[in-house]
Amino acid sequence: AAAGLCPWRALLVRRGGALRLLCGSVRGLAAGPETHFGFQTVTEAERREKIYQVFESVAKKYDVMNDSMTLGIHRVWKDILVHKMNPSPGTVLLDVAGGTGDIAFRFINYVRSVRERQLQQKLKRHQNLSWQEISESYREDKFKSLGDSQVVVCDINKEMLKVGKQKAQHLGYSEGLSWVLGNAEELPFDDDKFDVYTIAFGIRNVTRIDLALEEAYRVLKPGGRFLCLEFSHVSNPLLSRLYDLYSFQVIPVLGEVIAGDWKSYQYLVESIRRFPPQEELKAMIEDAGFLKVDYQNLNLGIVAIHSGFKL
């Protein structure tokens, strides 16, 4: 009798194994597709949550850490990005993942400078104006110092936006500036709304870069420009080795000393190594529909500025 039951027992075991396999597959599907968080393999949902926690943790020390990690060079890179943009009065900018306002404040300064030069040229052309007319002209133009330009800072992290708003208040930025909580992969804006889209050191932390690029294309006006500043891949072998040594041995230590957070800065270093190289990112931008796509390496590829147009 025992021997007769063996085939049934074997069948149940096989079916149980198949059921366990099926349940495992269903659980895998429920958790979502796999991706990476630094050098870890995680689901997309887990990655989004972990990245949110990283920036929630580092928000208050974000600017100090940027200065420490890059020896202040990040300021030059951001200046180059805005000069490459070359915004004119009336430009409407969307700065995504720009929580602390670095690009937005530079944009405002740049447009104000252009407006000031335009005003001076206007007054030079009208040498016969009276003092009163000159004074009124200055007051009128100063009142609209951005010439209808606007910048919208969009960030997914509430703490980063909070830090940015505090900086703006402290530095006296208010005109033409607004702050929006939003996800780069699903932007809360209408189609064809912005003249320029920027994302500086943010696209690396987006879970689905392809979706973020599609959204960038959607919200730009025809003729609009996409600009991305991001850590990239170093072309010089010697510099690459030195850069790796500095990144893995120094940056997490700085994170622990300055921000009390080793893990977040370990992730940031690892995420740079997992980010697509320049040519691969260029191809992704083209796949999203952008034309005239190119990139400019800075500091031998430590960072790169990618540019494209919606034509």
Side-chain angles (χ1 to χ4, degrees):
L5 287 173
C6 283
W8 291 99
R9 195 173 290 135
L11 181 61
L12 286 170
V13 168
R14 283 198 300 273
R15 286 183 174 175
L19 185 60
R20 282 194 298 275
L21 182 63
L22 177 61
C23 288
S25 299
V26 169
R27 279 196 299 272
L29 287 171
E34 286 189 343
T35 183
H36 59 83
F37 175 79
F39 292 159
Q40 300 176 43
T41 299
V42 296
T43 65
E44 288 185 354
E46 287 171 336
R47 174 184 160 88
R48 288 188 181 96
E49 179 61 28
K50 284 177 178 290
I51 289 175
Y52 191 92
Q53 290 170 358
V54 164
F55 285 93
E56 190 172 52
S57 171
V58 305
K60 290 179 181 177
K61 296 288 185 179
Y62 184 76
D63 290 330
V64 176
M65 275 301 299
N66 279 348
D67 282 333
S68 302
M69 287 189 303
T70 69
L71 307 177
I73 300 172
H74 77 99
R75 296 171 181 267
V76 178
W77 295 333
K78 290 167 182 172
D79 287 341
I80 293 171
L81 176 71
V82 174
H83 278 81
K84 192 176 182 73
M85 185 197 312
N86 190 24
S88 58
T91 299
V92 181
L93 167 66
L94 173 63
D95 183 39
V96 175
T100 59
D102 275 3
I103 301 301
F105 303 154
R106 281 169 169 79
F107 170 82
I108 290 171
N109 290 342
Y110 193 98
V111 173
R112 281 178 178 167
S113 177
V114 172
R115 286 282 291 169
E116 184 68 26
R117 288 198 302 272
Q118 288 178 345
L119 177 57
Q120 291 173 358
Q121 289 168 0
K122 174 183 172 183
L123 293 175
K124 283 179 182 177
R125 287 195 300 268
H126 298 84
Q127 294 290 340
N128 297 324
L129 290 177
S130 68
W131 170 84
Q132 186 177 5
E133 289 170 326
I134 291 172
S135 179
E136 287 176 357
S137 181
Y138 257 109
R139 280 200 300 271
E140 181 184 336
D141 283 285
K142 284 288 185 183
F143 182 71
K144 299 197 316 185
S145 64
L146 291 179
D148 299 323
S149 290
Q150 296 177 42
V151 52
V152 178
V153 179
C154 180
D155 201 293
I156 197 172
N157 194 285
K158 291 179 182 178
E159 283 301 310
M160 294 288 283
L161 285 173
K162 181 180 175 182
V163 170
K165 289 176 183 178
Q166 289 170 346
K167 277 176 62 181
Q169 187 175 11
H170 175 71
L171 296 171
Y173 292 102
S174 59
E175 180 196 357
L177 174 62
S178 56
W179 307 83
V180 174
L181 185 69
N183 186 345
E185 299 171 43
E186 194 175 353
L187 292 170
F189 305 109
D190 294 335
D191 297 357
D192 306 331
K193 185 175 178 66
F194 299 96
D195 299 303
V196 184
Y197 172 115
T198 53
I199 183 165
F201 303 115
I203 203 165
R204 189 179 77 257
N205 301 305
V206 170
T207 300
R208 289 282 305 277
I209 294 174
D210 57 334
L211 293 183
L213 292 172
E214 288 171 11
E215 281 291 272
Y217 188 88
R218 180 182 67 79
V219 300
L220 279 171
K221 297 175 183 176
R225 190 175 193 184
F226 169 87
L227 285 165
C228 171
L229 171 64
E230 188 55 86
F231 288 107
S232 202
H233 289 247
V234 179
S235 54
N236 182 284
L238 176 59
L239 179 60
S240 181
R241 286 195 292 272
L242 292 173
Y243 180 47
D244 281 347
L245 184 67
Y246 174 76
S247 296
F248 287 100
Q249 301 300 321
V250 177
I251 288 178
V253 175
L254 287 174
E256 181 64 31
V257 171
I258 295 172
D261 192 339
W262 178 294
K263 287 184 178 179
S264 291
Y265 286 95
Q266 181 71 27
Y267 154 72
L268 291 174
V269 169
E270 292 175 0
S271 68
I272 294 169
R273 297 334 186 261
R274 296 298 300 265
F275 190 67
Q278 289 89 324
E279 284 292 331
E280 189 176 330
L281 181 59
K282 178 186 176 186
M284 293 176 74
I285 295 168
E286 289 171 335
D287 287 344
F290 290 100
L291 299 175
K292 293 180 67 66
V293 179
D294 62 12
Y295 60 86
Q296 175 186 357
N297 284 330
L298 305 178
N299 296 96
L300 297 175
I302 290 178
V303 299
I305 298 175
H306 280 76
S307 169
F309 293 86
K310 177 178 177 177
L311 300 175

